[in-house]
Amino acid sequence: MRLKDKVAVITGGASGIGRATCIKFIKEGAKVVVADFNETTGVETVKMLKEQGGEAVFKKVDVSDFKQLEDLVNFTIETYGRIDTMFNNAGIGFSTPILELEPTDYERIIKINQDGVYYGILAAGRKMKELDIHGTIINTSSIFGFIANVNTFSYNASKGAVRLMTQTAALELAEYGIRVVGIAPGIVDTPIYDTAREKGLTDLITDKQMTKKFTQPADIANVVAFLASDEARAITGTTVLVDDGYTSFK
């Protein structure tokens, strides 16, 4: 088990990529703090992890509030005595043409997707430095942090920022033995695409993936677990494309 006895905080852990990563980390021997705004599905995730023999707890958190991220990290230390991995994964998205995008909606996405990652880096990085833990901070960017896409102006802006924040934080935190890496998923089978599925747009939105299918959350979780492990100790400051070839040729 690659993550045996390590402690991981996973934001957005109640569903999608976050939940799949919680499951993977438990299988790899980690203790997990499931952090999410949705208490119902968060508690369900913890129950699921415990049924699989894992050790996990839930902490409700709004990642757009730095104090709550700070409290989350302190809660983790109080519960398990350390923090080895911070997976800043929580995020939202919606489709709106730029000329119809209201500033309040733009700011909401930036606050959660971009500021939430900054807050997670800051809170976890400070605690890892304080406790002299050579940990790993992993941030969820997106293919749309690399390439443009119509009707997702604020989402692209937030995910592009996450990619640059990952590089910059890695540069600054290297001296403390802290790695900072990112992942950039493509089209993943999560609730964010429920509306598109209901409208019969599945083939359209998966067309640029090599397999012409949704990537499964578990496939993303496998990459996150690798990046959190000692096997990835030479990887830092980069954002790994987990996109089924989406950005390669089309």
Side-chain angles (χ1 to χ4, degrees):
M1 294 190 288
R2 292 182 294 184
L3 304 177
K4 184 173 173 56
D5 298 326
K6 291 186 181 294
V7 176
V9 177
I10 299 173
T11 69
S15 64
I17 292 172
R19 175 178 278 185
T21 304
C22 289
I23 293 170
K24 178 64 176 178
F25 272 49
I26 286 294
K27 290 179 179 178
E28 292 286 355
K31 300 178 180 69
V32 173
V33 177
V34 180
D36 204 286
F37 187 73
N38 190 322
E39 188 166 0
T40 300
T41 52
V43 170
E44 288 174 358
T45 300
V46 168
K47 181 181 178 183
M48 184 186 305
L49 299 176
K50 288 183 175 180
E51 288 173 349
Q52 295 183 32
E55 190 170 346
V57 292
F58 174 74
K59 176 69 172 173
K60 184 173 182 178
V61 63
D62 177 356
V63 299
S64 68
D65 180 350
F66 173 64
K67 181 63 165 59
Q68 292 192 40
L69 263 298
E70 205 171 35
D71 289 345
L72 170 63
V73 171
N74 288 332
F75 169 80
T76 301
I77 302 302
E78 291 164 5
T79 304
Y80 292 125
R82 60 185 296 112
I83 175 172
D84 297 284
T85 299
M86 180 73 175
F87 183 26
N88 294 308
N89 171 68
I92 61 170
F94 49 79
S95 180
T96 307
I98 186 171
L99 297 183
E100 298 174 18
L101 179 64
E102 296 298 330
T104 51
D105 292 329
Y106 167 83
E107 290 161 3
R108 179 166 173 258
I109 282 192
I110 295 299
K111 195 68 180 170
I112 293 172
N113 293 6
Q114 180 176 329
D115 293 352
V117 170
Y118 156 58
Y119 296 154
I121 292 171
L122 184 61
R126 283 176 172 174
K127 188 59 67 173
M128 289 175 180
K129 177 189 173 185
E130 176 188 328
L131 299 178
D132 194 26
I133 295 171
H134 294 182
T136 307
I137 299 171
I138 304 172
N139 306 317
T140 299
S141 180
S142 167
I143 52 172
F144 299 128
F146 285 83
I147 59 175
N149 188 54
V150 295
N151 301 335
T152 56
F153 178 84
S154 51
Y155 187 82
N156 281 56
S158 68
K159 294 303 185 177
V162 168
R163 185 162 63 91
L164 256 303
M165 289 194 296
T166 296
Q167 288 179 261
T168 307
L171 186 61
E172 291 199 32
L173 298 183
E175 66 176 294
Y176 307 115
I178 300 169
R179 290 189 298 115
V180 187
V181 293
I183 58 165
I187 308 302
V188 184
D189 191 9
T190 66
I192 200 170
Y193 289 108
D194 283 350
T195 300
R197 274 186 284 252
E198 290 168 5
K199 293 180 178 179
L201 300 175
T202 297
D203 289 345
L204 178 64
I205 62 179
T206 59
D207 181 63
K208 291 184 180 179
Q209 305 228 131
M210 295 295 181
T211 63
K212 308 298 183 182
K213 298 177 182 178
F214 281 106
T215 298
Q216 293 305 305
D219 295 322
I220 308 299
N222 289 338
V223 176
V224 178
F226 164 69
L227 291 173
S229 75
D230 292 339
E231 293 175 356
R233 60 181 177 269
I235 302 175
T236 189
T238 191
T239 295
V240 179
L241 284 159
V242 196
D243 67 344
D244 191 10
Y246 190 109
T247 60
S248 297
F249 304 108
K250 301 180 182 180

